[in-house]
Amino acid sequence: MAEPEEGQAGVVADPRGVLRQGRAFLDFFWDIAKPEQEVRLAATENLLRHLREGRKEDELKYALRRLVEGLGATREAARPGFSLALAQVLQAFEEIPICSVLEQIKEKHNLEKVKKKLVRNAAFGNFFGVMALFQSGRLVKDQEALLESIQLLQQLAHHQAHLRDLPRKTLIDIMSEVPESVFEEVLFGVLRSDLTSAFTSPENLHLLLVGIQKFPGVLKPKKLKKLFGSPTIVNEENIPRLVELLQSAAKSEKKDKKLPSVVFDLLQVSLKEDAFELFWKEGVENGLLKEKSGPVSYMCYRLLGSALPFLSLEQLQMVLKGKVMQHYGQHVVTTQLPDRFKFAPEMEGYIDEFLNNCDEQERQLAVIIGFSTLTNRGYPVFSSSSRVVGHLQPAALQKYVDWLKDMFLRPDFDCCLDFSSNRQKQNQENGNIAQHKVVRLRKWIIHRLANIIEIPANKDENLVMDISRFCFFHAFFEAKKKTSQIRETSVLPSEPLDAEAHSVAENYFFGLLQTLNTLAVLGDTAKAAALREKHIHGVTADGKLWIFLLVEYANKLLSSEHVKAVKPFTKEQRDAWERTLQAVKNLQKKENKSDSAKVVAFQQLLLLMAVHLFKNQSETMDILSDLLNCTERAFSKEPKKKKTDSAEPGWVEVMVEILLSLLAQPSLLIRRISKSVFVRICPNLTKRGLQLILDVLDPYQEQNDESAVVVMEESDKKIKSAQDMDEEGSEDSSDEDDTEEENDSEDEEKNEEVDDDFRSQLMNVLQAGNALGGDESDEELDDEAMMGLDKNISALFAEQQKRIQAKKDEKDRIRKEKILRRDFKIKVLDLVEAFLIKQSENPLVFDVIEPLLRVIEQCMSSDSDKQEVDYLQKTASIFKNALCRAKQYCKRVDGLQEDLHAFVERLVKKTCKHTDSSVALYYFSASLYLLKVLKGSTSDKSSTLPTPRPEKQNTAIPQACQLLSTGCLDMERVTVIYRQALTQFLTKRNSALTSSMFHDLFRRFPIMCKPLADTLVKSIPVGARPHQQAQACLLLQKVLQLRELKLFVTEEEWEELIRESISQVTESLRTVGKQILKAEKEKVAKSLELLNFLLKTVTEQKLCVTLTEVDKVLVALNQSEGLGNSSRLDSLYWNVMRWLNYTKPKKEKTANKPAQEAEPLKRKKKGFLPETKKRKNRKKGIQENGVAPVAGEDGEPAVPEEQPPGAETPKQKKGKRKNRNRGVRENGVAVAGTGEEAVNGGDAVARKKKKKNRKRKGDAVNEAEQVPAAKKAKDSVSQETQQKQGKANQQKQGKAKKKRKEKKSQVLQE
């Protein structure tokens, strides 16, 4: 105790002794308390480095004191930071005695002396202090400090309100690190009372369990019997008390959602004592599960998952068939609602960890089969798509697949742990429960088998083929009798498969086909590794397609007499099947000779259509026959014959039609293969074939797409399985359908009105029944007449209801067709994108431009639902990335020059006529793409070029030859086109053209700068509005700054261009009045920026340009009032004047210096009112020196010369603000004002912007105070009412227009 006290006294006596060396040392402690963990760790490192390098005793004592004080900090993040820092310091400086630090902690955070409101901080200070000693690694070595720390933790355990179970957990952690000898000699006596009362609380029980596992030589059965009268923990006598303690532990760990440590340690002790069966059956199943509590149930599930790695095979089988498993299955079934807590993902994590770390095949198989046999009415609760089977060893996986196949053929529910929920028991039917169980189990098994292929597991090709054959056989075939030639007929089903089972297997099989098509090559051979490096999918290690092997297997089944097809083939279909196989064999012979990718794509499509013969024979036959004809013609060696428009369409056109029809199918596999085939036939695509695709996208031909829509509707009704899960965007479409249906129903309810026909019919019925008599009452009608009238009215309303429902159904049908049609168009866009990417140098690309632009334009004017926005976004992305930004483009356009120039002119004219700038941007971008094509194309004719500048400048600019070349570009014609557009942009008030469009033109095509520069120069003073004049200055500056421009002009032309630009800018600035309006500020700013560049160019290049007029105009411009008010304009102005040898004058404050020097003496400190503001001295501020205020000319009291700050009236402030800016600048020199203005003007100008709004509010308040209260209230109410009505009307008018275009403008803007 003596050393720390002396150290503390030294530090307190000389508090600045440590701090004189700098502030950096203190910053370490500030950073240690920061909430960011990285900052805390860095500060701890730096502190240790500083203490090691300095080795100063006073700094070390100060650091210890600060760290000990920080242990009880109020901020939660600071406490662990100081604890870690203290632990590191104690670890680094072993000369510091642990006991002294512990005594310092106790003294600083004394729980007995501290105030009541600081007890929490003191408790945490003691706790984190012990943690620091323990983390330093020195506590276990010092027995005295260890004993005191244990006693301190026992004392802290009573403060559960603040620390909860933290002291007990720390005590257990310390005990687990202590050697057995130290535990027996030091700790056992201190902890004896806690160990004796082990069955009184979960914390004490946990302490005992840790001691038994850690120190078996100390806590022997004899000693245990002395402690609490029993040599073992888990026995029949202790089970009731253990159950109570475990229930208490489960409720205490409720929020943490983890298994309590005491439960896990009890499991370990029960296994050690060979009492696991007693513990599980009596303690868990018959004890814990009886209390129907959520936390206790979840604790049992977590105990089940945690126990898997420690159990033997017999114990696993016992646990997996017990009540906990059944209880878990009921939980999974009953928690399907989205707002319920689901334990299934956590249990899957336990299984995954067990299978990953277990090396025994039998135990792996027991666990996976155990969870697969937990069934609810025959359907396993274990997910059929779970990926945990990927950790099974190859032998265990093969056995699991064999077990699944055997359960599919011969369902055995005796080995299953089957249960039913309460609702199922209530709705139980005695009919076909057994058959229903079989159907549900087979559905799960077939999905489980198909999913095993998709999971990256340790599987080989034989296993994959075995599963694929099994699924294919039971999807499309049935076994008549057993045969050794076909493995799938070796075991006949105990329950024959019905049509529903075949349909389920069929749907999952096509999902399996999709997996096989994207499956990486399996095997460890060199050939397989080479194929994987090439990213080849869907083939075996021998290079054969998986689907081809399945077709060979199907052909074998069709030729066998021992099996029969579920849907037998007709003679025509069998011929098509044989013809398809022959065509595939012919293609395989050509695979090495011609384009292998093209051959493989056609093979996949043919084989896929052949497999689809088993599913939908009538529809597939037409497609298959056309496909076979196209394949023969595509790979035939006959020379192509020229055909007229009326001739038979070519194979490419037919192939495109087939692919479009296949795109309408919901199968993702069909769409992917169709796209790959289209990519291979792109080089052979003709204009008619491309037009077939573009017609689908044409917004004016939507009625012709009904055939594709019908195909999609039928397929959507038939397929509701795993294949649908592969559909892209199906969830979004369904969500959109629901929202649109709700909106439509609401609109119909609101807008539903009774038509005139129904009204007249109702009137006729009522008149026929004398129900509308003038003076007659309803009592005159007898019962029969009333009954007849009721029947007629009910019949009339029934007919009306049918008509209304028919209208709703028709509207709903049209809406669904529109959604399906839009979805089909989105898929067709994939073909357009593939064509633009693969055939970017094809001249047919030009035919795609206008259809895409029409789609963008039409989508901008249509509805703004999510599907429409997705369609627009995808179209715009393809147009921008695949077309306009393509690096490759058509280089040979000799025969298309006239058409392309006309195309450019047409696009630019549409850009000018458009009203939406976001759409006009795409038209303009298309014209720039055509410019790039024309300029980059090679032509026999050489274009005339302007005389370039000297060669030494050409060498400074790379690729000068490419810039000078015009290719096939007709410069005169193109110049006229873009000059007209530029003129319209600068002279028309409302134009869709923007400056960014022309900036893009000049940047990408510098050859266009010289012809259009004159238009820009002339438009500077004569633009339609100041905004257009400013844009002209901006564009001209961008053009002049392009270094490529100097390649196209001579030195004389360059000098003339600079001279003319200066002249026009001067004329533009001459028109600026003395008061610069808000609309003219942009023009003045851009003009000054341009003039700054021009004068800089003249000065640096020493051009012969007269600047007399510029000087006069700029000097006159300095007298404008708005120039001084804007700091930006003032800065730009003086930047320009610098080139004319003018300097910006400095503001000098010379007058009334004594007054300014004396003023600070009168100022009071912050936070004190001035004397004139105090209530008793208020009049003294007005009557100073005994003189009363005299009224001025306007009736206001005159203000004395010396007035306190802030005492001016609003009018005086306003007048003072006006007079400050009356100084006139002449020849760049500011004229000084009067004395008072000179004194106050400097500060006022600096504070002008900050106080502007405040002064306006003050003026308004002072003026409002002079108005009578009643009149002011009346006027304010009327003004507020008028303002509200005006705003409401404006919002109603603009809301309808803005709402539709808000989403789409964001999509199209770049």
Side-chain angles (χ1 to χ4, degrees):
M1 288 289 292
E3 293 180 3
E5 288 175 359
E6 291 175 4
Q8 290 175 15
V11 173
V12 174
D14 187 12
R16 295 186 181 180
V18 179
L19 307 182
R20 286 194 185 117
Q21 301 174 6
R23 184 76 185 175
F25 182 65
L26 278 184
D27 290 340
F28 296 148
F29 303 101
W30 283 97
D31 292 341
I32 289 174
K34 293 286 180 64
E36 296 83 8
Q37 185 177 2
E38 295 80 7
V39 179
R40 296 202 303 266
L41 294 176
T44 304
E45 255 182 74
N46 296 332
L47 176 63
L48 284 174
R49 189 183 301 110
H50 180 82
L51 293 176
R52 283 198 192 100
E53 294 174 356
R55 288 288 177 179
K56 296 180 181 179
E57 187 178 356
D58 55 347
E59 287 186 352
L60 184 59
K61 290 181 179 179
Y62 181 80
L64 285 175
R65 185 175 68 82
R66 285 292 302 269
L67 293 177
V68 169
E69 288 178 359
L71 295 174
T74 307
R75 287 180 290 175
E76 295 182 1
R79 293 193 289 259
F82 282 106
S83 177
L84 177 62
L86 180 60
Q88 295 296 320
V89 170
L90 293 176
Q91 187 177 6
F93 298 93
E94 295 187 358
E95 62 271 15
I96 302 175
I98 292 291
C99 291
S100 63
V101 177
L102 182 60
E103 290 298 330
Q104 191 174 349
I105 293 170
K106 288 182 179 179
E107 184 178 353
K108 180 63 181 176
H109 306 287
N110 195 334
L111 292 170
E112 297 177 357
K113 297 180 180 179
V114 74
K115 295 181 181 180
K116 187 175 181 180
K117 62 179 181 180
L118 298 177
V119 170
R120 174 183 172 85
N121 295 343
F124 273 108
N126 285 283
F127 171 72
F128 280 105
V130 176
M131 284 291 295
L133 300 180
F134 176 58
Q135 289 175 353
S136 67
R138 298 174 54 190
L139 182 63
V140 181
K141 302 175 184 178
D142 193 335
Q143 295 186 4
E144 182 182 354
L146 176 62
L147 184 61
E148 292 183 8
S149 300
I150 295 298
Q151 292 174 347
L152 181 58
L153 288 175
Q154 288 178 331
Q155 182 183 358
L156 293 175
H158 299 293
H159 296 272
Q160 291 187 356
H162 305 303
L163 301 178
R164 296 186 181 179
D165 56 348
L166 290 177
R168 286 290 180 183
K169 289 182 178 180
T170 307
L171 181 60
I172 293 171
D173 293 338
I174 294 175
M175 191 175 70
S176 61
E177 298 291 334
V178 171
E180 188 171 354
S181 58
V182 176
F183 173 77
E184 186 175 7
E185 296 174 3
V186 180
L187 298 184
F188 184 73
V190 180
L191 300 175
R192 187 180 185 90
S193 59
D194 295 335
L195 297 176
T196 304
S197 58
F199 291 98
T200 59
S201 67
E203 293 80 11
N204 292 342
L205 177 63
H206 190 198
L207 188 66
L208 175 63
L209 295 174
V210 172
I212 291 174
Q213 297 178 76
K214 183 66 179 176
F215 313 111
V218 179
L219 297 176
K220 298 178 181 179
K222 293 182 180 179
K223 189 164 289 187
L224 293 179
K225 190 171 184 179
K226 290 181 181 179
L227 288 174
F228 48 83
S230 175
T232 58
I233 301 296
V234 182
N235 52 50
E236 294 183 359
E237 182 182 355
N238 294 336
I239 286 292
R241 290 187 290 177
L242 290 175
V243 170
E244 293 178 2
L245 294 177
L246 294 184
Q247 289 174 352
S248 174
K251 294 174 182 178
S252 64
E253 299 281 351
K254 178 180 178 181
K255 294 183 180 180
D256 296 335
K257 294 183 179 180
K258 64 179 182 179
L259 182 68
S261 302
V262 62
V263 182
F264 182 75
D265 288 327
L266 185 59
L267 169 68
Q268 299 278 9
V269 172
S270 67
L271 290 171
K272 184 179 178 182
E273 295 177 352
D274 293 332
F276 174 75
E277 185 175 354
L278 174 65
F279 166 70
W280 191 260
K281 289 187 176 180
E282 299 298 329
V284 179
E285 294 182 349
N286 298 330
L288 294 174
L289 283 182
K290 285 186 177 180
E291 182 181 354
K292 296 181 179 180
S293 169
V296 176
S297 299
Y298 298 143
M299 185 185 70
C300 294
Y301 305 154
R302 293 187 177 99
L303 181 61
L304 171 64
S306 303
L308 294 178
F310 306 99
L311 303 182
S312 63
L313 184 60
E314 294 77 11
Q315 291 171 341
L316 283 173
Q317 292 174 351
M318 178 196 72
V319 168
L320 295 175
K321 297 297 180 184
K323 295 180 181 179
V324 177
M325 279 289 288
Q326 189 172 359
H327 202 276
Y328 166 71
Q330 291 176 349
H331 160 78
V332 174
V333 173
T334 55
T335 56
Q336 301 300 327
L337 297 177
D339 57 339
R340 300 289 296 275
F341 173 70
K342 298 176 179 59
F343 192 81
E346 190 173 342
M347 180 62 77
E348 189 169 340
Y350 284 117
I351 301 171
D352 184 84
E353 183 180 0
F354 167 75
L355 296 178
N356 189 25
N357 299 324
C358 182
D359 297 331
E360 300 178 21
Q361 300 177 7
E362 293 79 8
R363 294 175 65 208
Q364 280 189 337
L365 194 61
V367 170
I368 198 68
I369 290 179
F371 278 93
S372 299
T373 53
L374 178 61
T375 57
N376 171 37
R377 286 290 183 92
Y379 194 87
V381 299
F382 186 56
S383 174
S384 58
S385 59
S386 175
R387 306 178 74 86
V388 298
V389 296
H391 299 303
L392 290 176
Q393 297 186 10
L397 182 60
Q398 182 65 54
K399 290 181 181 179
Y400 182 55
V401 170
D402 294 339
W403 178 83
L404 289 173
K405 290 161 59 178
D406 186 64
M407 286 290 289
F408 183 87
L409 297 172
R410 296 179 298 182
D412 182 15
F413 292 102
D414 294 336
C415 67
C416 295
L417 186 62
D418 195 74
F419 65 92
S420 300
S421 62
N422 294 332
R423 182 175 297 178
Q424 289 173 343
K425 292 177 182 178
Q426 294 174 0
N427 301 333
Q428 186 169 308
E429 297 179 1
N430 298 325
N432 295 324
I433 294 181
Q435 183 65 25
H436 184 60
K437 287 183 179 181
V438 172
V439 172
R440 286 165 60 87
L441 179 62
R442 283 175 172 171
K443 180 180 179 181
W444 183 89
I445 290 175
I446 203 71
H447 188 207
R448 174 76 276 180
L449 287 171
N451 189 262
I452 287 176
I453 298 179
E454 183 180 355
I455 294 173
N458 298 324
K459 54 182 180 289
D460 54 4
E461 292 183 352
N462 294 330
L463 180 64
V464 172
M465 194 61 201
D466 185 23
I467 295 174
S468 303
R469 286 161 55 114
F470 183 85
C471 295
F472 178 81
F473 181 85
H474 293 288
F476 304 110
F477 289 90
E478 292 178 348
K480 293 181 181 178
K481 58 181 180 179
K482 298 181 181 180
T483 176
S484 59
Q485 298 177 356
I486 302 174
R487 190 188 313 165
E488 284 67 32
T489 61
S490 59
V491 179
L492 297 179
S494 59
E495 292 286 341
L497 275 73
D498 55 1
E500 182 181 356
H502 284 297
S503 176
V504 170
E506 172 187 305
N507 292 330
Y508 282 123
F509 170 75
F510 281 104
L512 184 145
L513 268 186
Q514 163 64 21
T515 304
L516 290 176
N517 187 55
T518 58
L519 186 65
V521 181
L522 303 175
D524 300 330
T525 61
K527 191 174 181 180
L531 291 174
R532 281 195 294 268
E533 289 180 0
K534 295 179 181 179
H535 301 286
I536 296 177
H537 302 281
V539 297
T540 61
D542 298 335
K544 292 183 180 180
L545 291 169
W546 284 106
I547 192 173
F548 176 71
L549 298 177
L550 287 175
V551 169
E552 281 188 335
Y553 174 67
N555 191 41
K556 180 181 178 181
L557 294 178
L558 288 173
S559 305
S560 176
E561 299 178 353
H562 302 284
V563 298
K564 65 175 182 178
V566 178
K567 299 176 182 178
F569 284 178
T570 62
K571 186 176 183 304
E572 182 183 2
Q573 293 166 356
R574 186 60 187 266
D575 294 340
W577 172 267
E578 298 293 342
R579 189 181 167 194
T580 303
L581 292 183
Q582 187 61 39
V584 171
K585 291 178 181 178
N586 295 336
L587 288 176
Q588 289 177 348
K589 295 177 183 178
K590 299 178 181 179
E591 189 170 352
N592 297 328
K593 299 178 182 179
S594 58
D595 185 9
S596 60
K598 181 179 178 181
V599 171
V600 170
F602 272 88
Q603 280 187 57
Q604 286 181 323
L605 190 57
L606 284 171
L607 293 171
L608 185 59
M609 289 297 102
V611 173
H612 268 269
L613 268 178
F614 293 98
K615 179 183 180 183
N616 197 340
Q617 299 168 351
S618 59
E619 291 183 4
T620 309
M621 274 299 299
D622 298 334
I623 298 176
L624 190 58
S625 59
D626 293 338
L627 185 59
L628 288 170
N629 295 332
C630 291
T631 306
E632 293 174 0
R633 294 165 63 183
F635 291 93
S636 63
K637 297 182 180 180
E638 298 179 1
K640 298 180 180 179
K641 300 178 181 180
K642 295 183 179 180
K643 301 178 181 180
T644 60
D645 294 339
S646 61
E648 181 183 354
W651 68 269
V652 178
E653 288 86 352
V654 179
M655 196 69 192
V656 169
E657 290 183 353
I658 294 172
L659 295 178
L660 288 175
S661 63
L662 293 178
L663 280 181
Q665 300 293 331
S667 172
L668 180 59
L669 176 61
I670 292 179
R671 296 203 304 273
R672 284 185 175 176
I673 294 180
S674 301
K675 185 178 178 181
S676 64
V677 172
F678 178 77
V679 170
R680 303 307 169 190
I681 67 172
C682 275
N684 306 102
L685 194 63
T686 61
K687 191 168 185 176
R688 292 177 59 182
L690 180 61
Q691 193 60 41
L692 290 173
I693 299 174
L694 298 178
D695 288 343
V696 177
L697 301 176
D698 192 352
Y700 305 106
Q701 296 184 5
E702 288 192 349
Q703 296 180 356
N704 299 330
D705 296 337
E706 292 182 357
S707 60
V709 172
V710 172
V711 173
M712 291 184 67
E713 280 189 312
E714 292 178 357
S715 58
D716 285 343
K717 290 179 182 177
K718 292 179 181 178
I719 298 179
K720 298 285 184 183
S721 63
Q723 204 171 343
D724 292 335
M725 297 171 65
D726 297 331
E727 182 72 8
E728 297 174 338
S730 59
E731 295 182 0
D732 297 338
S733 301
S734 61
D735 295 342
E736 194 63 37
D737 297 349
D738 298 339
T739 55
E740 287 187 358
E741 285 178 3
E742 293 175 1
N743 295 336
D744 291 343
S745 62
E746 291 176 2
D747 294 341
E748 287 172 358
E749 290 176 1
K750 291 179 181 178
N751 301 328
E752 187 176 316
E753 296 180 357
V754 181
D755 54 354
D756 295 334
D757 294 337
F758 175 69
R759 187 178 310 223
S760 61
Q761 292 176 8
L762 182 61
M763 293 291 291
N764 295 335
V765 170
L766 294 175
Q767 289 176 357
N770 294 330
L772 292 177
D775 298 330
E776 298 177 0
S777 61
D778 294 341
E779 297 178 358
E780 296 180 1
L781 297 176
D782 55 2
D783 293 341
E784 294 182 0
M786 287 294 294
M787 291 295 292
L789 182 62
D790 291 342
K791 288 181 180 179
N792 294 335
I793 293 176
S794 61
L796 181 61
F797 274 96
E799 292 179 2
Q800 178 67 9
Q801 190 64 30
K802 289 180 181 179
R803 285 193 293 270
I804 294 174
Q805 187 62 36
K807 289 181 181 179
K808 289 182 180 180
D809 294 342
E810 180 65 18
K811 190 174 182 180
D812 188 57
R813 184 188 66 82
I814 294 173
R815 182 182 56 81
K816 287 182 178 179
E817 285 184 359
K818 181 181 177 182
I819 292 173
L820 294 172
R821 192 179 295 114
R822 185 71 66 243
D823 189 48
F824 178 62
K825 288 186 177 185
I826 292 175
K827 296 172 185 175
V828 173
L829 281 176
D830 293 336
L831 301 184
V832 177
E833 184 178 15
F835 174 74
L836 292 176
I837 293 174
K838 298 295 182 180
Q839 294 293 312
S840 56
E841 299 183 5
N842 196 326
L844 291 177
V845 170
F846 304 135
D847 297 336
V848 184
I849 296 176
E850 282 190 305
L852 292 181
L853 289 173
R854 280 199 296 268
V855 170
I856 293 174
E857 188 174 4
Q858 189 265 343
C859 288
M860 284 296 293
S861 60
S862 60
D863 298 333
S864 59
D865 55 4
K866 185 180 184 301
Q867 191 187 33
E868 192 77 14
V869 172
D870 292 342
Y871 180 46
L872 170 63
Q873 192 170 5
K874 187 170 185 178
T875 307
S877 176
I878 291 173
F879 183 85
K880 179 173 59 176
N881 299 320
L883 182 67
C884 295
R885 295 182 181 176
K887 296 181 179 179
Q888 304 295 330
Y889 53 87
C890 185
K891 300 294 178 64
R892 293 285 182 181
V893 292
D894 291 339
L896 300 173
Q897 293 185 32
E898 181 62 28
D899 296 337
L900 291 181
H901 281 88
F903 197 2
V904 172
E905 185 176 2
R906 188 164 65 252
L907 289 173
V908 175
K909 286 184 178 179
K910 286 187 177 180
T911 305
C912 298
K913 292 181 181 179
H914 226 287
T915 57
D916 192 347
S917 60
S918 57
V919 180
L921 176 63
Y922 282 83
Y923 278 93
F924 197 83
S925 300
S927 70
L928 296 185
Y929 168 75
L930 294 179
L931 276 188
K932 179 176 69 172
V933 172
L934 288 169
K935 186 177 181 301
S937 301
T938 56
S939 175
D940 298 335
K941 300 179 181 181
S942 59
S943 303
T944 58
L945 297 176
T947 305
R949 300 198 69 181
E951 292 183 359
K952 64 179 181 179
Q953 291 191 10
N954 291 348
T955 57
I957 299 177
Q959 302 177 351
C961 296
Q962 295 182 6
L963 293 172
L964 293 171
S965 174
T966 58
C968 299
L969 196 62
D970 186 354
M971 283 299 301
E972 295 181 1
R973 184 173 181 180
V974 172
T975 301
V976 172
I977 295 172
Y978 284 100
R979 181 180 288 123
Q980 292 175 355
L982 184 58
T983 304
Q984 178 183 341
F985 168 61
L986 296 174
T987 56
K988 189 177 179 181
R989 284 179 171 270
N990 297 323
S991 176
L993 298 168
T994 60
S995 60
S996 61
M997 297 180 185
F998 292 100
H999 180 227
D1000 199 17
L1001 170 67
F1002 296 137
R1003 181 179 55 81
R1004 293 173 58 185
F1005 305 99
I1007 198 172
M1008 299 294 297
C1009 294
K1010 179 184 175 182
L1012 299 180
D1014 295 339
T1015 306
L1016 290 174
V1017 172
K1018 295 177 182 178
S1019 302
I1020 292 176
V1022 296
R1025 290 184 299 179
H1027 174 70
Q1028 273 83 357
Q1029 297 174 14
Q1031 295 301 314
C1033 294
L1034 175 63
L1035 287 174
L1036 182 59
Q1037 183 180 356
K1038 298 291 185 183
V1039 168
L1040 295 176
Q1041 287 175 347
L1042 290 174
R1043 61 175 185 172
E1044 294 89 351
L1045 175 62
K1046 297 181 180 179
L1047 292 172
F1048 305 99
V1049 296
T1050 61
E1051 293 183 357
E1052 293 78 11
E1053 290 174 343
W1054 172 255
E1055 187 173 332
E1056 180 62 27
L1057 179 59
I1058 296 295
R1059 183 183 296 110
E1060 184 65 21
S1061 301
I1062 293 176
S1063 174
Q1064 296 297 333
V1065 175
T1066 305
E1067 290 298 323
S1068 177
L1069 291 176
R1070 196 190 301 275
T1071 60
V1072 178
K1074 291 186 177 181
Q1075 291 185 352
I1076 300 178
L1077 302 178
K1078 186 177 181 181
E1080 292 181 339
K1081 285 188 177 182
E1082 181 188 6
K1083 166 191 167 182
V1084 174
K1086 298 301 178 184
S1087 300
L1088 291 175
E1089 289 177 0
L1090 174 59
L1091 198 56
N1092 183 39
F1093 172 76
L1094 293 173
L1095 295 179
K1096 178 182 177 182
T1097 305
V1098 170
T1099 305
E1100 292 179 351
Q1101 299 182 9
K1102 299 179 181 179
L1103 302 179
C1104 298
V1105 179
T1106 306
L1107 303 178
T1108 308
E1109 291 295 325
V1110 181
D1111 196 335
K1112 294 180 181 179
V1113 172
L1114 290 177
V1115 170
L1117 185 65
N1118 188 29
Q1119 300 177 4
S1120 301
E1121 292 185 5
L1123 194 64
N1125 295 337
S1126 174
S1127 59
R1128 178 168 176 262
L1129 290 180
D1130 187 65
S1131 175
L1132 291 173
Y1133 174 80
W1134 288 109
N1135 286 340
V1136 175
M1137 296 298 288
R1138 181 166 52 91
W1139 300 106
L1140 299 176
N1141 299 324
Y1142 286 92
T1143 57
K1144 186 177 182 180
K1146 296 182 179 179
K1147 296 180 181 179
E1148 298 181 359
K1149 302 177 183 179
T1150 56
N1152 294 342
K1153 281 188 177 180
Q1156 288 183 345
E1157 292 175 358
E1159 185 179 357
L1161 299 177
K1162 296 181 180 180
R1163 289 180 181 173
K1164 299 296 183 180
K1165 296 180 180 179
K1166 278 189 176 181
F1168 291 91
L1169 283 173
E1171 293 295 329
T1172 56
K1173 293 294 183 179
K1174 294 181 180 180
R1175 186 178 297 275
K1176 61 181 180 179
N1177 296 328
R1178 217 177 248 177
K1179 295 182 180 180
K1180 294 181 181 179
I1182 300 174
Q1183 299 175 355
E1184 195 169 0
N1185 299 326
V1187 180
V1190 182
E1193 293 179 359
D1194 355 16
E1196 298 289 340
V1199 181
E1201 293 181 359
E1202 294 183 7
Q1203 203 169 11
E1208 297 94 351
T1209 62
K1211 287 191 176 182
Q1212 290 170 345
K1213 288 184 178 181
K1214 189 174 181 181
K1216 187 180 273 189
R1217 187 168 65 247
K1218 287 183 179 179
N1219 293 332
R1220 280 171 189 160
N1221 298 322
R1222 289 184 179 175
V1224 181
R1225 300 180 182 181
E1226 296 180 1
N1227 298 327
V1229 181
V1231 180
T1234 60
E1236 184 177 352
E1237 291 172 356
V1239 173
N1240 299 330
D1243 295 337
V1245 170
R1247 297 192 304 267
K1248 185 173 183 180
K1249 291 184 178 180
K1250 297 182 180 178
K1251 293 189 176 181
K1252 191 173 183 181
N1253 294 332
R1254 197 191 316 164
K1255 288 179 180 179
R1256 287 179 179 172
K1257 292 180 182 178
D1259 295 344
V1261 170
N1262 291 329
E1263 290 175 3
E1265 288 176 357
Q1266 298 174 6
V1267 182
K1271 185 178 180 181
K1272 181 170 64 175
K1274 184 177 180 181
D1275 292 344
S1276 62
V1277 171
S1278 62
Q1279 289 177 3
E1280 289 178 3
T1281 307
Q1282 293 176 2
Q1283 289 177 358
K1284 289 181 181 179
Q1285 291 177 354
K1287 288 182 180 179
N1289 294 333
Q1290 291 177 0
Q1291 290 176 356
K1292 288 180 180 178
Q1293 292 174 1
K1295 194 173 183 181
K1297 290 184 179 179
K1298 291 182 180 179
K1299 188 176 181 181
R1300 188 174 62 188
K1301 290 191 176 182
E1302 275 181 354
K1303 290 184 181 178
K1304 297 181 180 177
S1305 59
Q1306 295 175 359
V1307 172
L1308 291 179
Q1309 285 179 358
E1310 293 186 4

